[in-house]
Amino acid sequence: VLEGALEEAQGRCKELEERVIGTENLSKEGEAAQESLAHELEGLRKGCAELQAEKAKLKRGLEQAEADLSAAENVKRAEMDKMKETSKAFLKKAVDAKKAAEAGAAAP
């Protein structure tokens, strides 16, 4: 009976040792997986930071381009207004010259 109990205890000890070894292996695998995930997470964080910086840079570039476009439109508008005034002045001179010529021709 004692021998049977001893064999049973030894069998259970062997089984527990195997389970401990299995648990240790799983623990090591878990640690390796955790390190891998931590490394991947760090890479993703770095990538996100780079993308955010690029987004901010592009946003500033877009804002500058919009400001440049607005300034160019204002210059164009001012030039068009100046051309209109110049055309009006030229036309007025031509009309005045024609009236003067007609008045001179009509005078005896």
Side-chain angles (χ1 to χ4, degrees):
V1 174
L2 204 52
E3 231 175 84
L6 180 59
E7 285 180 22
E8 185 180 329
Q10 286 175 338
R12 292 198 70 215
C13 280
K14 179 94 170 143
E15 181 184 319
L16 288 174
E17 285 174 0
E18 290 172 0
R19 287 176 64 187
V20 166
I21 291 170
T23 303
E24 287 173 352
N25 289 339
L26 286 176
S27 178
K28 288 176 185 174
E29 290 173 12
E31 286 176 15
Q34 188 176 8
E35 285 179 26
S36 175
L37 288 173
H39 181 71
E40 186 177 345
L41 177 61
E42 184 61 31
L44 289 172
R45 283 183 178 153
K46 183 179 178 184
C48 285
E50 290 171 357
L51 289 174
Q52 287 174 338
E54 184 66 19
K55 179 183 174 185
K57 180 182 173 185
L58 291 172
K59 184 178 179 184
R60 287 189 302 272
L62 178 60
E63 289 169 351
Q64 183 62 50
E66 288 172 343
D68 292 348
L69 177 60
S70 178
E73 287 173 344
N74 290 339
V75 167
K76 179 182 171 186
R77 227 177 274 114
E79 288 176 353
M80 292 293 288
D81 290 345
K82 184 177 177 183
M83 286 176 54
K84 285 180 188 175
E85 292 302 316
T86 302
S87 294
K88 284 181 188 176
F90 180 78
L91 187 57
K92 185 176 182 326
K93 277 186 178 180
V95 169
D96 290 347
K98 183 179 177 186
K99 285 181 183 176
E102 287 174 353

